[in-house]
Amino acid sequence: MHGFANAKLGLWLGLGLMVAQSLAGSATAADQVPVKPALPPGYGEVQVVVLGVTAPFFTFGLVKRFEQIPGVEHTSFNLKRGTADVIVKPGATVTDDDLRHAVRNASYSIGSIHWIAHPSAKAAEN
Amino acid sequence: MRLIFREIRALPTLFAGALAVLLALSLVAPARAQITFPSAAPISAGNVIVRTQPTVTEYSGGLQSFYDENIVLYGASPDLAFILENKSIVTNSGNIVSNGKATAFTATGFGDTVLDTRYNLYETDGVGSTFRIAPYIGIDMPTGMDNVNAEVPRTLQPASGEWGTREALTSSWQTLFWNAQALIGYQNYAGSDGFQTGSSLLADAAFHYLIWPSDLDREVPSEVFASLETNYSLSAVDRMNGMAISGTGGQLWTVDPGILYSAPTWGAAFTALLPVLQQYRGPGASRYDYGFEVTFRYSFFTYHHW
């Protein structure tokens, strides 16, 4: 029973360290001025306004749903603006319907879809 | 799934008891804190959330209860979710007084399992907000050990041995800075070996307030919430062979302050369970003093869904 108690204590100490590490890492990131890297040549970018997302925990399923779409390279989410920034690989064909479907599968509602840059087929050949 | 709903039900389930045994042993089933119902919060199709939730409760007379409840939530579709809850370990310990002599006891084993189905009935979403209503229906399955220690009353065994059903209506209103939830539910048990746990009416509410970070205009890696919950249950008396068991049933109202850390794939929470009101039917109840619950959850994704 003593060993069990020690094991549980160790588990929760470990969890505490994970939280502390995560908080420390986040604070460092928050202190930095966010600089959006330039989109590599040929890549596409689309901004999707998603309704109903309220916390980082709920972005997980949404981001996974976007990244399930063939050709999607990366997705990030801004909670305050409710916008998903979806980066599309060169040459990929991602439609608005794909994006709508991903949002609904994540159990949220679509606001709007705005293509900032469409992926280029030519760059994919390079 | 930080917005998993918290419910405290008064009680009788594992701790009500066989009348004759209770009289002989001078030990009556205690009220029990249990947090089970998930909220109406969104879960993506294919998303799996695993929670483990160890809870310790102390009762008057030196009785202590520990259980670790494991919960698996699965988003079968954008609107349909299945929730499997199992108490992987339950330990009840204390002293049994018989003929003026106190004897220490421990009853440890597997607990019961509940399978819930949740359907997202109503949803209205905005930028950084959502309001949802979702009914639940669930089955309590007697998968645990209801006779691990022959010296201990059945009510203090790790599992109840009863089939049961539960129905609930939950709602959640979530924004970027706070979340409010409410639940009303009903639990009913089929009885087993002459013993029947009294049915319960449940009413819960919760409020979570964001305390960190303040700036959400970026990709937020994690959040910390202060939480305050309240859980009320009104229960019918437990019965053995049709006879009411004194000290069971009645009402329990708790207020539960806590703190919650939440990241996209994992989270942890600590909640204190503090009784505000306890009224049981008849003398002999072990009164609920306080409880603590810690929660750890992990979220992962499968691409299998309806």
Side-chain angles (χ1 to χ4, degrees):
Chain A
M1 198 67 186
H2 189 64
F4 180 68
N6 282 342
K8 289 199 84 66
L9 180 65
L11 171 67
W12 289 108
L13 280 175
L15 288 177
L17 286 172
M18 286 171 69
V19 172
Q21 189 180 34
S22 184
L23 290 175
S26 306
T28 306
D31 293 341
Q32 295 169 354
V33 178
V35 178
K36 191 174 177 181
L39 203 61
Y43 277 75
E45 181 177 4
V46 57
Q47 206 165 66
V48 184
V49 176
V50 183
L51 309 178
V53 185
T54 59
F57 179 69
F58 297 105
T59 64
F60 176 68
L62 178 68
V63 166
K64 286 290 182 185
R65 279 286 150 210
F66 277 129
E67 292 179 352
Q68 185 195 13
I69 300 171
V72 169
E73 170 94 0
H74 174 74
T75 304
S76 59
F77 195 83
N78 182 302
L79 279 172
K80 189 176 180 181
R81 299 168 193 268
T83 52
D85 203 36
V86 182
I87 306 299
V88 182
K89 292 174 185 171
T93 305
V94 175
T95 66
D96 287 5
D97 276 350
D98 292 334
L99 299 169
R100 286 193 189 93
H101 192 61
V103 169
R104 190 53 218 154
N105 265 335
S107 195
Y108 299 106
S109 305
I110 195 92
S112 61
I113 298 172
H114 173 60
W115 282 93
I116 296 168
H118 285 275
S120 160
K122 188 177 177 183
E125 293 163 5
N126 297 334
Chain B
M1 188 96 175
R2 76 177 196 288
L3 293 175
I4 287 250
F5 213 95
R6 298 166 170 240
E7 152 244 346
I8 281 195
R9 64 186 176 193
L11 354 218
T13 310
L14 297 178
F15 291 105
L19 181 59
V21 177
L22 291 176
L23 287 174
L25 300 178
S26 303
L27 185 66
V28 173
R32 168 140 196 194
Q34 187 173 10
I35 293 173
T36 51
F37 280 111
S39 73
I43 178 168
S44 301
N47 197 178
V48 179
I49 300 163
V50 179
R51 293 164 53 102
T52 183
Q53 204 163 278
T55 302
V56 174
T57 44
E58 293 278 348
Y59 302 90
S60 60
L63 182 63
Q64 187 181 65
S65 175
F66 167 83
Y67 66 86
D68 187 9
E69 184 161 41
N70 301 296
I71 304 172
V72 180
L73 300 98
Y74 169 63
S77 81
D79 294 318
L80 182 68
F82 295 113
I83 302 108
L84 187 69
E85 303 165 31
N86 172 258
K87 290 187 177 67
S88 59
I89 182 168
V90 179
T91 296
N92 297 319
S93 60
N95 291 302
I96 294 175
V97 180
S98 179
N99 298 325
K101 183 183 175 186
T103 308
F105 78 90
T106 300
T108 301
F110 297 119
D112 286 331
T113 302
V114 180
L115 177 62
D116 280 320
T117 303
R118 186 194 78 174
Y119 186 75
N120 189 22
L121 192 66
Y122 175 80
E123 168 186 346
T124 179
D125 296 328
V127 172
S129 71
T130 183
F131 176 75
R132 297 179 184 223
I133 297 175
Y136 275 86
I137 187 165
I139 301 174
D140 283 75
M141 295 176 283
T143 58
M145 300 172 175
D146 59 1
N147 190 24
V148 293
N149 185 341
E151 305 297 317
V152 173
R154 180 176 153 182
T155 53
L156 292 172
Q157 302 288 344
S160 70
E162 292 179 279
W163 287 88
T165 59
R166 60 183 188 177
E167 303 81 33
L169 188 66
T170 68
S171 63
S172 66
W173 184 8
Q174 300 171 232
T175 72
L176 293 176
F177 299 99
W178 55 264
N179 309 307
Q181 305 167 348
L183 171 149
I184 187 162
Y186 178 75
Q187 286 182 303
N188 192 36
Y189 296 91
S192 172
D193 298 331
F195 173 75
Q196 175 135 29
T197 301
S199 54
S200 297
L201 180 68
L202 313 162
D204 304 327
F207 186 77
H208 296 171
Y209 187 78
L210 180 69
I211 55 177
W212 182 89
S214 55
D215 177 20
L216 300 180
D217 195 7
R218 58 192 175 93
E219 193 169 0
V220 179
S222 58
E223 291 182 332
V224 178
F225 287 85
S227 65
L228 185 65
E229 306 188 0
T230 177
N231 310 98
Y232 174 80
S233 66
L234 177 64
S235 301
V237 71
D238 300 343
R239 294 182 180 277
M240 174 57 78
N241 296 324
M243 295 182 64
I245 301 173
S246 179
T248 64
Q251 53 184 336
L252 173 65
W253 176 28
T254 63
V255 172
D256 319 315
I259 191 160
L260 172 70
Y261 173 81
S262 180
T265 55
W266 72 279
F270 176 84
T271 307
L273 311 168
L274 307 174
V276 175
L277 172 69
Q278 297 184 76
Q279 289 180 341
Y280 304 110
R281 298 182 181 181
S286 291
R287 296 183 69 80
Y288 181 92
D289 288 340
Y290 60 88
F292 294 107
E293 180 197 84
V294 286
T295 302
F296 180 71
R297 62 149 172 74
Y298 180 73
S299 181
F300 64 96
F301 211 78
T302 74
Y303 294 107
H304 304 289
H305 63 89
W306 293 359

